Amino acid sequence: MNKLGAVIAFTYRNKVKTKSFRITTLLLAVLLIVALNIPYAIQLFSGNDEEGALKLGIATGSYNELAQQISEVAVQAQKQQTQAASATTSNTTAPTQIDWQAQPRSEAELNRLIQSKELDGYLLLKGAGKDAFPTVTLVSDNDAASAQTLLQSAAQTVKLRSVAGGQLNEQQLQELSSPVTIVHQSPDQQGSGGTDDNGRSYTRENFILVYILMILFFISLTMTGNMVASEITSEKSSRVMEILITSVSPLTQMFGKIIGIFLVGITQMGVYAVVVIAHLFLPYYQDVLAQFNLHVSNLSWHVAVLGFMFYILGYFLYSTLYAAVGSIVSRTEDLGQAVSILTVLTLAAFYIGIFSISNPNSLIIRIASYVPFFAPTTALIRIGLGTIAWWEVLVSTIILLVSILVCGWISTKIYRTGVLMYGKRPTWKELRRAMKAYKI
């Protein structure tokens, strides 16, 4: 156990202290910070204050009264949005303000005011047929999406009020004008606690969490797996392995390197996680999350815990195979070709999960969740987005553990014989003969 700890500590320190690791980690952290702050910088420099208010007029015609009602409803909705924005910790996401002209005017006069920059646009209502609500057009060169959304909602409210003929109160009008969201849910999820009381909100946050965990699994596994193989190959090519193999047992040496590099990957991912979490608690991002109806408190932490568990199991399964492949390669130049089959397996696990994420209860996902090479991603999808019983999670975990033991046993025998074979890559027949001569 002392030798295993020494190998782990040596491998970890040796990798963390390298300039390449420090520069890469720092550079990626800086790029991540810049990427996370680009939307805030754009909004900060674009400005969103009262001086940039959109000045709108109302065209005269047979629908002046409806146009006036739309402006009044829009003003009322704008006040509510402004109050909601002022109640938050940041005003950077305040809606576009609309400054209405007092009296309706003719189209020609309004166009002249737009050309002279006295107006930014006007609201035009035209007849759409007998007893039909007129078409509403925002005539403006200013592409204000938030103002257009506000006016669209106001026009919808006025239309409902006009159709109802005063028989509905304001609350009923708001209920009719608010869109209806349909949530897709399987029969097994109904009443099983698969989602929270908000339905879609819970599912959307779980979807984002599962998607991020799958991407992290693929990127981290690819990086650390190749790191394990290259570390062993470089020691073998420099003949240092001949000294190490006589002082430390192959089992201790192989798993010491695997655990040490695993800690290196966790350290690197931890730095990026701290950057992201720190940004999520900033006032700006709190407002952004609130706009999309996303709340960190709605995350299912059992999905994160089980996802991390499957990541660890998947890492040890693949890393033992990367170590075995790295031990039979004599030159680092040949390593890329040697690990290609493992790269294909990781890609298959990633793409099966990505392409089936919208159908988490499909047959291919259910079967793949019991295949050890695909379980780290497919089982995670079933846990976070689909329906899976506790015994299925247990069976998938047991299969992964057994696979790690079997692959670890085979990889150790290959490692013991492969690190002392130089020259051309040994054939499977030569490896099998050498493995029979070595007993763990």
Side-chain angles (χ1 to χ4, degrees), residues 236 239 328-331 334 418 420-426:
K236 178 181 176 180
R239 301 285 177 148
I328 63 176
V329 178
S330 300
R331 299 186 307 168
D334 301 330
L420 297 178
M421 290 183 176
Y422 295 94
K424 69 178 184 69
R425 191 187 307 171

Side-chain angles (χ1 to χ4, degrees), residues 51-205:
E51 296 179 359
L54 196 66
K55 296 181 180 179
L56 294 182
I58 299 177
T60 58
S62 58
Y63 298 102
N64 285 343
E65 185 177 352
L66 289 178
Q68 195 69 32
Q69 291 178 14
I70 292 175
S71 66
E72 291 173 358
V73 174
V75 169
Q76 185 64 29
Q78 188 172 275
K79 289 180 180 178
Q80 295 176 357
Q81 291 181 355
T82 304
Q83 291 174 358
S86 62
T88 60
T89 54
S90 174
N91 292 328
T92 57
T93 58
T96 300
Q97 298 295 314
I98 299 178
D99 183 11
W100 291 95
Q101 298 297 303
Q103 298 295 330
R105 305 187 184 189
S106 64
E107 289 185 52
E109 186 177 0
L110 291 172
N111 287 324
R112 182 183 60 80
L113 293 174
I114 290 177
Q115 292 178 357
S116 62
K117 304 299 181 181
E118 296 181 38
L119 278 182
D120 294 312
Y122 61 89
L123 204 62
L124 176 63
L125 277 72
K126 289 187 177 181
K130 186 179 180 181
D131 297 330
F133 192 80
T135 57
V136 182
T137 305
L138 175 61
V139 182
S140 176
D141 293 329
N142 193 322
D143 186 16
S146 60
Q148 185 175 347
T149 302
L150 181 68
L151 291 172
Q152 182 176 346
S153 177
Q156 179 70 19
T157 301
V158 173
K159 179 180 179 180
L160 291 173
R161 184 183 295 170
S162 175
V163 173
Q167 297 180 6
L168 299 178
N169 56 37
E170 290 297 325
Q171 184 176 359
Q172 291 172 328
L173 288 173
Q174 290 179 4
E175 288 292 332
L176 286 174
S177 61
S178 62
V180 178
T181 301
I182 298 178
V183 181
H184 175 266
Q185 192 177 66
S186 66
D188 293 333
Q189 285 179 301
Q190 184 66 31
S192 63
T195 58
D196 66 0
D197 296 334
N198 294 328
R200 186 177 177 178
S201 172
Y202 181 89
T203 303
R204 187 190 302 123
E205 287 147 355

